[in-house]
Amino acid sequence: MGYKVLVADDEYIIRRGIISFLKQYGDFELAAEAEDGEMALELAKSISPDVYFVDINMPFLNGLQFIKQLKETNPKAVVVIITGYDRFDYAREALKLGVFEYLLKPLMEGPFDEMMKRVRERLQKEESEDKYLDWAKSMLAQNRTYLASNFLQKALEGHYTREEIRERAQYLNLLLPEPFTVTVVSLEYLKTEDVKSTWNEDLLFFVAENIANEMFLGLENPCSCQDRHGNLVVVSKAAAQERAEGQVAAYCNMLETHLPVRSTVMQVNGDDYGTLAETYETAVSRLKELETGSSVIKDVKLYIEDNYSREDFSFQDAAGHVNLSVPHLSRMFRKEMGVTFIDYLTSVRIRKAIELLHNNELKIYEIAEMTGYANQHYFSNVFKKNLGVSPAEYRRFIKNDSQPSAMQ
């Protein structure tokens, strides 16, 4: 497809001459011709030529007036002035208006050909620049997620001022509301075999991030990234505490239902983006405190599993195992587990006793001893208090392949 050309001159013979010259160039085609400036301007608006051959001295709208109005709507227009006046003031005004070439009548084939070569080079250069710009825009669109994530990482680490954050966010078309909430999500992978086969860490993070951005849409336009600790960080509009807690609970439930992970979440609010890095660091610090507590309690639960059969096993033993005072561990255990240490230990012992009762070779007193109770009578009382039936009754129900009504 050739370049479109408009020829505007009030002299018919000049128009014919230019059109005749143009026939030598296969990549240029005459799109329209006009005998005055007003007609030329209407044609320019309707067909958008690439090149304009314009006489300065035209009726109704002279060449300079035409060029001035043309450049307002098409600043890249390639305009060649054709005139019989060799006057410096015309040339100067034409240059101010961004005219590409200035040729004198009568037109000669040699100078015209040289001029056309320069016009072609100019158009090809613009095409190349336009293609590069289109490519750059395409690449920006394709990589926007990466660029936004990279920007957010640096912003969280304090690399930008408030104004720089706003400027870059606007460039990336990110909506950063104020006040805002920083949500930091730590993912602990529970099934190593799944991570190594069906899943991998990058895929798990990708899914967790997409679920977050979808579920937190109710908190308006979240943007997210992975921080240097491997945590998922989501920045969204601050919401009422009850609503935000509901979103987090639903999110964690969704993650732990569909992914082999356990999630720990911390949220902290900020007022303006000048405090973004500080707000994020506060969230990370609180998350670490929460995870430390979870790690301790996890260790205590494993220690209980290994020692529940000891009659003398006590909370003091567990506290000593994790190097914490009894009061401190007691508060931590009850806060995270929702029950006291004794209640939890009892539930473990009863669960183990139920498993052992399926073995008809074991006596009740043997099961009592194996679950940390030296006294069979005391064991039976504790069992009945928790299940509504004694160990002997529970065993009879097992033999009869039925369930006790108290357990239904």
Side-chain angles (χ1 to χ4, degrees):
M1 182 176 178
Y3 301 112
K4 293 186 293 184
V5 179
L6 181 146
V7 178
D9 196 301
D10 62 332
E11 296 183 61
Y12 176 79
I13 190 66
I14 299 296
R15 295 200 309 273
R16 290 299 96 195
I18 295 173
I19 293 169
S20 175
F21 282 159
L22 285 172
K23 290 179 179 178
Q24 303 175 55
Y25 308 98
D27 52 346
F28 290 85
E29 59 178 354
L30 179 68
E33 58 180 296
E35 58 187 26
D36 63 64
E38 288 185 351
M39 181 187 298
L41 192 61
E42 289 300 317
L43 289 168
K45 291 177 181 178
S46 62
I47 63 177
S48 300
D50 302 296
V51 184
Y52 300 78
F53 290 93
V54 180
D55 180 27
I56 281 184
N57 189 25
M58 290 188 297
F60 305 119
L61 192 68
N62 68 37
L64 295 179
Q65 292 170 330
F66 165 78
I67 295 166
K68 185 176 182 179
Q69 293 189 43
L70 174 67
K71 288 290 185 175
E72 289 176 357
T73 57
N74 186 4
K76 288 188 175 183
V78 177
V79 180
V80 179
I81 285 289
I82 307 295
T83 182
Y85 300 96
D86 187 8
R87 289 174 50 181
F88 176 72
D89 54 341
Y90 276 137
R92 181 176 59 188
E93 185 64 24
L95 289 173
K96 284 182 181 179
L97 293 173
V99 168
F100 181 68
E101 286 281 354
Y102 188 96
L103 294 180
L104 292 174
K105 300 177 184 178
L107 298 179
M108 304 296 291
E109 190 170 351
F112 189 91
D113 186 60
E114 290 299 317
M115 177 270 301
M116 288 299 292
K117 290 178 181 177
R118 291 191 291 274
V119 168
R120 182 184 289 110
E121 289 175 358
R122 167 69 175 271
L123 291 170
Q124 289 175 344
K125 181 181 178 182
E126 285 186 354
E127 280 185 339
S128 177
E129 290 174 349
D130 288 344
K131 287 179 180 177
Y132 177 79
L133 183 59
D134 290 341
W135 173 84
K137 288 179 179 178
S138 173
M139 292 303 294
L140 176 61
Q142 291 177 32
N143 293 281
R144 181 181 173 279
T145 300
Y146 167 77
L147 294 172
S149 176
N150 185 259
F151 153 71
L152 188 56
Q153 286 175 355
K154 291 185 180 299
L156 293 172
E157 293 171 4
H159 291 284
Y160 303 130
T161 65
R162 177 191 290 105
E163 290 308 313
E164 287 173 333
I165 290 174
R166 293 185 192 281
E167 180 181 304
R168 284 165 171 77
Q170 184 175 12
Y171 176 73
L172 291 168
N173 197 29
L174 293 175
L175 299 177
L176 296 181
E178 291 176 331
F180 61 92
T181 295
V182 172
T183 303
V184 183
V185 182
S186 174
L187 302 176
E188 178 184 356
Y189 307 117
L190 300 180
K191 300 178 181 179
T192 307
E193 66 276 10
D194 282 347
V195 176
K196 290 181 178 178
S197 56
T198 306
W199 296 93
N200 61 56
E201 291 192 6
D202 289 339
L203 180 57
L204 283 169
F205 182 87
F206 175 78
V207 174
E209 183 176 33
N210 277 274
I211 292 174
N213 283 323
E214 183 175 334
M215 293 195 68
F216 290 166
L217 279 175
L219 302 182
E220 291 192 28
N221 302 308
C223 51
S224 57
C225 70
Q226 186 172 32
D227 69 8
R228 62 184 183 276
H229 306 294
N231 299 318
L232 168 62
V233 182
V234 181
V235 180
S236 58
K237 183 176 181 180
Q241 183 176 354
E242 184 176 345
R243 183 183 177 205
E245 288 177 354
Q247 288 274 11
V248 168
Y251 174 64
C252 291
N253 180 64
M254 178 73 75
L255 285 184
E256 294 175 8
T257 298
H258 298 286
L259 303 179
V261 298
R262 183 173 69 179
S263 56
T264 307
V265 178
M266 179 56 63
Q267 288 189 315
V268 177
N269 294 333
D271 293 323
D272 68 73
Y273 284 94
T275 65
L276 179 61
E278 180 183 344
T279 305
Y280 160 72
E281 289 297 338
T282 299
V284 170
S285 177
R286 292 181 184 175
L287 180 70
K288 286 180 178 177
E289 291 178 6
L290 187 61
E291 287 185 315
T292 299
S294 296
S295 176
V296 168
I297 300 307
K298 183 178 179 180
D299 197 4
V300 170
K301 288 164 67 178
L302 291 173
Y303 191 64
I304 292 171
E305 293 287 333
D306 291 337
N307 292 275
Y308 70 90
S309 61
R310 287 171 41 202
E311 180 189 356
D312 61 348
F313 182 59
S314 68
F315 199 24
Q316 285 81 359
D317 295 327
H321 176 69
V322 294
N323 298 311
L324 291 176
S325 69
V326 170
H328 186 183
L329 180 58
S330 178
R331 288 192 298 271
M332 187 183 294
F333 194 94
R334 188 177 188 110
K335 180 179 180 181
E336 184 160 335
M337 300 301 298
V339 295
T340 66
F341 173 82
I342 294 299
D343 288 341
Y344 184 81
L345 174 60
T346 299
S347 69
V348 171
R349 284 173 166 170
I350 295 299
R351 172 165 51 85
K352 297 296 182 180
I354 289 172
E355 294 174 8
L356 295 171
L357 284 167
H358 286 75
N359 185 344
N360 293 324
E361 301 298 321
L362 293 174
K363 306 296 184 183
I364 299 296
Y365 76 86
E366 291 176 323
I367 293 175
E369 291 175 354
M370 294 172 70
T371 53
Y373 297 99
N375 187 302
Q376 179 182 335
H377 181 69
Y378 180 63
F379 164 66
S380 296
N381 285 339
V382 172
F383 193 98
K384 187 169 184 176
K385 180 180 179 182
N386 281 269
L387 273 72
V389 293
S390 69
E393 290 173 322
Y394 185 87
R395 176 169 274 175
R396 284 198 296 272
F397 282 122
I398 295 173
K399 288 181 179 179
N400 294 329
D401 293 323
S402 63
Q403 292 291 329
S405 59
M407 297 181 61
Q408 293 179 348

